[in-house]
Amino acid sequence: MMHITLLGLVLWLYLTAATPLDSNTFSDTTDYPLPNPGNVAAHDPNILEYNNFFYLFKGGIRVPIFRATKLDGPWEKLGTVLNHPSVVQKQNRKRPWAPMVTLWNGRFYCFYSVSQPGKRNSAIGLASSESIEPGGWTDHGALIHTGTGKGSNAYPYNVTNAIDPAFFVDPDSGRPYLQYGSYWEGIFQVPLTDELGVETSASASVDHLVYLPDAKQKPNEGAYMSYRAPYYYVWFSHGQCCQFEERGFPTKGNEYSIRIGRATNIHGPFMDRDNTSLLDGGGSVVYGSNHKKVYAPGGLGILPGTGDRADVLYYHYHNTSIGFKPGDAQLGWNYLDYIDGWPVPRAPESHSTSLNPSYHLKLLAMLYLAISFIATV
């Protein structure tokens, strides 16, 4: 039985061996809680609760659709929003980015991005369907162009990058808005018509929401707006999101983190906890890398609370036990508490092993060793 014992020992040593994580890169702070794991790979997730299911949409080929009865899964892949590559004739139209799906006036709408890293030649496309399930979606093409395309020479499209769309309805006026933007001149908000076209009337108000005026690099993107009386909240991701294998890891703190500002009016001005305007580089960190397990959280959204559930902050992050390729990004989420009107992520009820995918393998190895030992005595 000696060979069995040695095999178990080798297995245990392999599973418990860990490559040390550089403290200059990976934060070990406990200022933020671990996430509840969503147990699905997702980059730029979007979740819509409908008809007793959670529907998850993410960046990927023709915008994948998943469904689950709980946020921690299991997630069933149903199909895709688009049946073919986007009708938008720009790069990467087979693989749209950062979708957002909403139910508006009895119809489902999917906003999506067509772009490529580091380029402004982008577009926000729109598809719609009577059903949230795959098979009935119509691709309406580009709603907004930047770089080239119809309307791209008009402000603010001539200074922005048309990616990361977010849809929000003002609870005060009932009017729909679109938030979007990445790098360059930052994040903007434009009003939409009732048919979800871009409002172009002379009275249409364009709002500049988030900007880094003094920085050479302006890594703010992925806006999302939520409301909890009396505040409107602008959420966004700041820092390097991905491509860590190609570009390397940034200095600690320069990777993605989730930031926020608030206002009592949908048009702003939005201020952070230190009363710094988001147009002056402000933005309070709500959630960042932590415990040397969670790295570069961002690409966020908010699920409004119900009578039985608090608001939920969800996002993608890199689990340092899994990897840092774009396809390794995982869904994470936390309930939100509000302290002095500021959202604070709540720790999971149980998280001691939630981010360690080899935990059960280690238990198996321990059991294997015990049985092997008993067999030898």
Side-chain angles (χ1 to χ4, degrees):
M1 294 295 179
M2 182 62 69
H3 66 286
I4 298 178
T5 305
L6 290 175
L7 178 61
L9 180 60
V10 170
L11 178 61
W12 170 248
L13 291 174
Y14 171 76
L15 290 171
T16 54
T19 302
L21 296 174
D22 183 2
S23 295
N24 293 321
T25 301
F26 300 97
S27 175
D28 61 359
T29 183
T30 58
D31 290 345
Y32 312 110
L34 291 169
N36 293 287
N39 298 306
V40 64
H43 190 89
D44 290 335
N46 171 242
I47 299 176
L48 183 65
E49 188 174 5
Y50 178 71
N51 200 23
N52 298 317
F53 285 101
F54 294 102
Y55 287 85
L56 182 145
F57 304 82
K58 65 176 185 175
I61 295 174
R62 300 192 300 276
V63 187
I65 306 174
F66 293 78
R67 184 178 67 184
T69 57
K70 299 184 298 180
L71 285 171
D72 57 1
W75 294 92
E76 173 192 9
K77 185 174 181 181
L78 302 179
T80 60
V81 169
L82 303 180
N83 294 323
H84 308 284
S86 169
V87 298
V88 178
Q89 297 298 310
K90 290 191 175 184
Q91 66 289 316
N92 282 347
R93 64 192 190 95
K94 295 181 180 180
R95 194 181 187 91
W97 296 355
M100 180 172 184
V101 175
T102 189
L103 178 61
W104 170 253
N105 288 344
R107 191 169 179 86
F108 293 94
Y109 292 86
C110 176
F111 299 87
Y112 62 85
S113 309
V114 176
S115 188
Q116 68 183 97
K119 305 295 182 182
R120 277 190 63 242
N121 187 26
S122 308
I124 292 174
L126 182 65
S128 71
S129 174
E130 292 183 355
S131 170
I132 196 171
E133 306 279 340
W137 292 84
T138 299
D139 188 358
H140 303 289
L143 184 67
I144 292 172
H145 283 285
T146 57
T148 64
K150 183 179 179 181
S152 61
N153 292 326
Y155 182 83
Y157 314 116
N158 60 338
V159 297
T160 54
N161 187 22
I163 71 168
D164 293 351
F167 177 85
F168 179 77
V169 178
D170 182 2
D172 181 46
S173 66
R175 186 168 193 174
Y177 289 86
L178 185 75
Q179 299 81 36
Y180 79 96
S182 171
Y183 284 71
W184 283 278
E185 296 297 302
I187 295 168
F188 279 75
Q189 174 175 263
V190 295
L192 300 176
T193 66
D194 286 343
E195 294 75 30
L196 299 193
V198 175
E199 178 63 70
T200 57
S201 67
S203 62
S205 174
V206 172
D207 301 306
H208 199 180
L209 300 179
V210 182
Y211 185 49
L212 284 168
D214 301 323
K216 182 178 180 181
Q217 293 292 321
K218 305 179 188 298
N220 288 333
E221 56 189 6
Y224 200 98
M225 185 171 285
S226 66
Y227 179 78
R228 186 176 188 271
Y231 296 111
Y232 296 83
Y233 297 91
V234 168
W235 305 73
F236 61 99
S237 301
H238 172 89
Q240 183 179 332
C241 76
C242 41
Q243 297 179 302
F244 300 114
E245 292 190 337
E246 298 88 347
R247 297 167 55 187
F249 292 98
T251 303
K252 183 170 64 177
N254 290 326
E255 74 279 5
Y256 247 16
S257 61
I258 296 172
R259 305 193 177 198
I260 199 172
R262 72 184 187 188
T264 55
N265 187 294
I266 192 172
H267 303 293
F270 289 87
M271 315 296 287
D272 67 13
R273 284 178 176 267
D274 298 322
N275 207 35
T276 301
S277 170
L278 300 192
L279 293 176
D280 292 329
S284 299
V285 179
V286 177
Y287 195 70
S289 302
N290 59 82
H291 293 82
K292 282 193 175 181
K293 294 182 178 181
V294 174
Y295 187 71
L300 68 114
I302 304 295
L303 270 175
T306 65
D308 300 324
R309 188 198 69 221
D311 291 356
V312 172
L313 167 67
Y314 63 86
Y315 45 86
H316 74 245
Y317 71 99
H318 287 277
N319 183 328
T320 59
S321 298
I322 294 176
F324 303 97
K325 297 178 181 178
D328 292 332
Q330 302 292 305
L331 172 67
W333 59 277
N334 297 83
Y335 292 117
L336 290 175
D337 295 316
Y338 288 82
I339 301 175
D340 297 326
W342 291 102
V344 178
R346 185 189 305 172
E349 293 183 2
S350 176
H351 57 70
S352 60
T353 62
S354 62
L355 298 188
N356 190 347
S358 62
Y359 175 74
H360 294 96
L361 290 177
K362 289 180 181 179
L363 287 180
L364 182 61
M366 292 176 67
L367 179 61
Y368 193 85
L369 277 173
I371 293 173
S372 299
F373 176 77
I374 293 172
T376 61
V377 297

